Amino acid sequence: MLRNSLLALIISYSTLVFSQNHPQDLHPPLDIPLVLSGTFGELRSNHFHAGIDIKTKGESGLRVYAIADGYVSRIKVSPWGYGKAIYITHDNGYSSVYAHLMRYNGAIQEYVISNQYEQQSYDIELFPEKDELRVKEGDIIGLSGNTGSSAAPHLHFEIRDSQNQYPQNGLMFGFNVIDNIPPVIKELKVYAKSKNTQVNNTFEDPIFKVKGSGKTCYIDETIEVSGPYALGINTYDLLNFAKNKNGVYSIELLVDSQLIYSHSMEEFGFHETRYINCHLDYSEKIANKRKIHKCFIEPNNKLSIYDYVSNRGIIKPNGSIQSVEMRIKDVYGNLSKLSFKVKKVEPNLEAVNPLDTIKFTSVFPFNSKNSFKNESVSIEIPSYSLYDTLYFKYNVFNDSSDIFHSLIHSIHDEETTVHNAYSLSVKTTVPDSLASKAFICKLNNRGKINYVGGKYENGVLSVKTRKFGDFSVAVDTIKPVVKGLNIYPGKTIKSSNLKVTIKDEQTDIKKYTATINGKWVLMEYEPKRNRLTHYFDKDLKPGKHVFKILVYDSLDNFTKYEAVFYR
């Protein structure tokens, strides 16, 4: 009885808060209890999560429903990203997106396959005419799946403003998601915001473990600072019936009861989502896999999620002890509070700031075009591509192995990224006979090379990239590997499909084309399984058939696979 009353209170609260601005009578996208594995605005790789991820009980094939009347305005099929996705423009001013589908339903499926055969491509993007594919609320539009960059079966679901396509927080639209658990506050990071600021008698930016839970989170020591400082917080939300660590809805920072910083995840634009890399602590993410919200604004941060920020979130200590409170909420109003004290102290004048001992090559202002060049490497960074002024570092190394065809260029470090791609050119020793097979590669921390790309001209390879790190030139002359899974010469295939695996060790698969008896056939590509699948047409007659496939990597090395099979 108590549990039912509590759930009714939660639903009533969410309806009261959100019904003023958002429809509350939409059909749920699935006909099972909505349990989430991801929430709106979560900190993802290079972007904020634009929707909610709904669990599908670990399986594919659940019916997916249109949430309101409207028409299919876009369909995209890709081996990457959203996989098989459908976009519906509704009559109420909103649009909905359903991604990672296993397949579409009815006329939509027929429309997609017809266009795939017409364009002879699995990857496809379609924009049907208005009302060409009309749907009603509650219509089955597809089946849930695991296509694209999905790591496990689920439905990625979005609601967007139809006018500007800004994603909206889907949990504000009255769906029955149960959540009475407050967010978890895990860690606090304190940032020195002047050259001479020390935190707890050190020039490091320390991290403090948070104790307690809910409204009684705390740090059991007074933090000492000698100058301006800022704060960051490692926090996540939990929902009922799931263990996933989800994104929080809002963060507020108050010092002596005065609001300093506030942001909330209600909507954002896709044009700004990459600014996540200066909202979170990118260095902590790369080095330590921490997801820390910075509660201050970098100079080139153009996000619109901030409700209020005083002095860019930089706090000046006063002569007394400051009382600091951080309030973290989920979308249903569950609240956690972190309280602690900050005391101003005199700096240790004998301490040496490690930044004073670091050698750098150049100073790159964020609002200027920046460049660096020597006889073997050149970089050009467009203005406003950095989030703050960068003390740029460059080193060069020689490698005696025969893997690399240039020096190894250390372009700053991996713990820094750029917003807009910069131009990187590397002089190479690769012979002209192999120039078409040469590419710029990036070395990871284990020395393994990752394909970046590049265009060769007059002994120089050039590419655009958003990453810093160690770069060199390598050569790929190795053909992709193609293996039949349920096919080989002479095989009688009784199943409804034909499967092969395709893989390239050094570069990416660029394209493939397959035929049966000389006619192009559709093969669905699953990169995470290195698998191509063709579903046989019912019109394929019994008897002998010839299957052929050509697979190309990014440098046009190709493999031809052929097999006679029987049905």
Side-chain angles (χ1 to χ4, degrees):
M1 182 68 180
L2 179 62
R3 181 176 183 275
N4 291 338
S5 299
L6 181 60
L7 296 185
L9 180 63
I10 293 170
I11 295 169
S12 173
Y13 172 82
S14 64
T15 302
L16 176 66
V17 172
F18 303 133
S19 61
Q20 296 177 4
N21 301 315
H22 305 89
Q24 300 292 300
D25 57 351
L26 302 174
H27 193 288
L30 296 171
D31 59 2
I32 59 173
L34 301 185
V35 178
L36 305 188
S37 59
T39 51
F40 182 82
E42 281 183 2
L43 306 179
R44 299 289 179 90
S45 179
N46 298 313
H47 69 283
F48 291 100
H49 191 225
I52 60 174
D53 288 340
I54 307 173
K55 289 176 174 285
T56 56
K57 302 180 179 179
E59 60 187 65
S60 297
L62 276 64
R63 291 172 293 187
V64 178
Y65 298 89
I67 61 170
D69 293 354
Y71 64 92
V72 177
S73 52
R74 181 185 177 197
I75 299 169
K76 186 172 175 61
V77 179
S78 172
W80 316 101
Y82 283 8
K84 294 181 180 180
I86 186 168
Y87 301 70
I88 298 175
T89 299
H90 299 289
D91 303 335
N92 59 11
Y94 291 96
S95 298
S96 57
V97 184
Y98 315 77
H100 308 307
L101 300 178
M102 181 173 77
R103 58 167 288 148
Y104 305 100
N105 192 45
I108 303 171
Q109 176 77 353
E110 294 174 5
Y111 177 83
V112 171
I113 291 179
S114 173
N115 277 275
Q116 286 174 319
Y117 269 90
E118 183 179 329
Q119 298 184 27
Q120 295 194 355
S121 175
Y122 172 67
D123 301 32
I124 199 167
E125 186 170 17
L126 304 168
F127 297 91
E129 295 292 328
K130 183 178 180 180
D131 295 335
E132 182 179 356
L133 294 170
R134 186 80 189 171
V135 297
K136 292 184 177 180
E137 178 180 329
D139 280 355
I140 300 171
I141 56 173
L143 300 178
S144 68
N146 188 32
T147 56
S149 299
S150 170
H154 72 282
L155 176 67
H156 173 90
F157 170 70
E158 295 177 21
I159 296 180
R160 300 182 182 180
D161 184 318
S162 292
Q163 242 182 347
N164 57 23
Q165 288 299 301
Y166 279 27
Q168 309 292 300
N169 192 325
L171 295 182
M172 293 181 166
F173 288 78
F175 297 111
N176 188 9
V177 175
I178 298 173
D179 179 11
N180 59 10
I181 305 172
V184 174
I185 305 176
K186 187 176 180 182
E187 296 170 319
L188 174 80
K189 185 169 182 177
V190 182
Y191 298 83
K193 295 308 290 183
S194 76
K195 182 180 178 181
N196 297 318
T197 296
Q198 298 170 17
V199 182
N200 280 9
N201 205 34
T202 176
F203 285 106
E204 302 295 327
D205 295 338
I207 291 178
F208 298 87
K209 295 290 184 183
V210 173
K211 297 184 178 180
S213 61
K215 297 179 182 179
T216 58
C217 296
Y218 64 95
I219 292 170
D220 58 1
E221 63 177 292
T222 297
I223 299 171
E224 297 181 341
V225 300
S226 65
Y229 67 97
L231 301 172
I233 192 152
N234 183 353
T235 181
Y236 59 87
D237 190 33
L238 296 172
L239 286 85
N240 298 60
F241 316 119
K243 297 180 179 179
N244 303 80
K245 297 177 180 179
N246 300 308
V248 300
Y249 167 67
S250 69
I251 297 176
E252 293 180 344
L253 165 62
L254 298 93
V255 178
D256 293 333
S257 301
Q258 296 295 311
L259 184 65
I260 301 296
Y261 168 97
S262 173
H263 89 254
S264 55
M265 297 306 305
E266 295 187 5
E267 68 170 17
F268 60 83
F270 285 108
H271 67 282
E272 61 179 327
T273 188
R274 189 176 171 84
Y275 284 106
I276 189 176
N277 288 327
C278 62
H279 171 81
L280 58 70
D281 189 323
Y282 190 84
S283 177
E284 284 285 357
K285 173 194 166 187
I286 298 300
N288 302 311
K289 300 190 185 320
R290 282 190 175 100
K291 293 183 178 180
I292 293 179
H293 292 264
K294 292 179 181 176
C295 297
F296 59 96
I297 310 298
E298 298 286 8
N300 191 29
N301 182 345
K302 297 180 181 178
L303 281 170
S304 63
I305 64 172
Y306 304 108
D307 303 311
Y308 178 81
V309 182
S310 173
N311 193 34
R312 292 183 33 241
I314 297 172
I315 306 164
K316 294 180 179 179
N318 54 33
S320 61
I321 293 178
Q322 293 174 317
S323 295
V324 182
E325 182 176 277
M326 303 190 78
R327 301 172 180 171
I328 319 297
K329 291 181 183 178
D330 62 29
V331 77
Y332 292 110
N334 299 301
L335 170 66
S336 292
K337 289 184 181 180
L338 168 64
S339 301
F340 56 95
K341 304 290 186 182
V342 175
K343 179 182 179 182
K344 183 179 181 180
V345 297
E346 293 301 316
N348 178 2
L349 299 178
E350 296 181 358
V352 177
N353 192 330
L355 293 177
D356 291 336
T357 65
I358 295 176
K359 295 181 179 180
F360 57 89
T361 307
S362 299
V363 178
F364 287 172
F366 73 91
N367 55 356
S368 300
K369 180 180 178 181
N370 297 285
S371 62
F372 173 80
K373 186 176 183 179
N374 61 28
E375 64 278 359
S376 57
V377 69
S378 171
I379 71 169
E380 298 281 346
I381 303 177
S383 59
Y384 293 97
S385 293
L386 302 169
Y387 298 116
D388 197 355
T389 295
L390 179 69
Y391 293 88
F392 176 74
K393 296 173 292 183
Y394 168 81
N395 278 302
V396 64
F397 308 96
N398 203 351
D399 189 284
S400 58
S401 70
D402 58 0
I403 297 175
F404 301 113
H405 293 262
S406 80
L407 299 171
I408 297 175
H409 302 278
S410 184
I411 311 295
H412 201 64
D413 62 58
E414 288 192 335
E415 294 179 26
T416 306
T417 188
V418 299
H419 192 77
N420 301 309
Y422 69 94
S423 299
L424 170 64
S425 297
V426 178
K427 185 177 180 180
T428 176
T429 58
V430 68
D432 290 342
S433 60
L434 292 176
S436 64
K437 305 300 180 184
F439 63 97
I440 292 178
C441 61
K442 184 175 179 295
L443 287 67
N444 65 16
N445 54 15
R446 297 184 300 276
K448 182 180 178 181
I449 65 173
N450 295 301
Y451 175 80
V452 179
K455 182 179 179 181
Y456 178 86
E457 186 175 354
N458 298 327
V460 175
L461 273 162
S462 299
V463 74
K464 288 194 173 183
T465 180
R466 284 189 170 106
K467 293 185 177 181
F468 290 140
D470 294 345
F471 295 88
S472 189
V473 173
V475 167
D476 179 16
T477 59
I478 302 172
K479 298 178 179 181
V481 176
V482 181
K483 292 182 179 179
L485 279 179
N486 67 343
I487 183 173
Y488 54 80
K491 174 76 182 293
T492 299
I493 302 178
K494 296 181 180 180
S495 64
S496 61
N497 56 54
L498 181 157
K499 297 178 181 180
V500 299
T501 59
I502 58 174
K503 191 174 183 180
D504 193 80
E505 290 294 338
Q506 282 193 296
T507 62
D508 301 323
I509 298 295
K510 183 171 75 173
K511 62 181 179 180
Y512 60 89
T513 183
T515 62
I516 293 179
N517 303 328
K519 293 183 178 181
W520 186 88
V521 292
L522 176 65
M523 298 204 77
E524 302 196 359
Y525 184 27
E526 295 179 87
K528 55 181 171 277
R529 302 175 71 186
N530 301 313
R531 180 175 292 184
L532 289 173
T533 304
H534 170 67
Y535 295 93
F536 289 117
D537 193 316
K538 294 179 181 179
D539 295 334
L540 188 67
K541 297 178 180 179
K544 177 181 175 182
H545 303 280
V546 180
F547 171 72
K548 294 180 182 179
I549 187 168
L550 279 170
V551 180
Y552 294 81
D553 68 15
S554 296
L555 294 169
D556 287 329
N557 301 301
F558 70 91
T559 297
K560 181 179 180 180
Y561 178 91
E562 182 175 343
V564 173
F565 69 96
Y566 297 86
R567 289 285 285 170

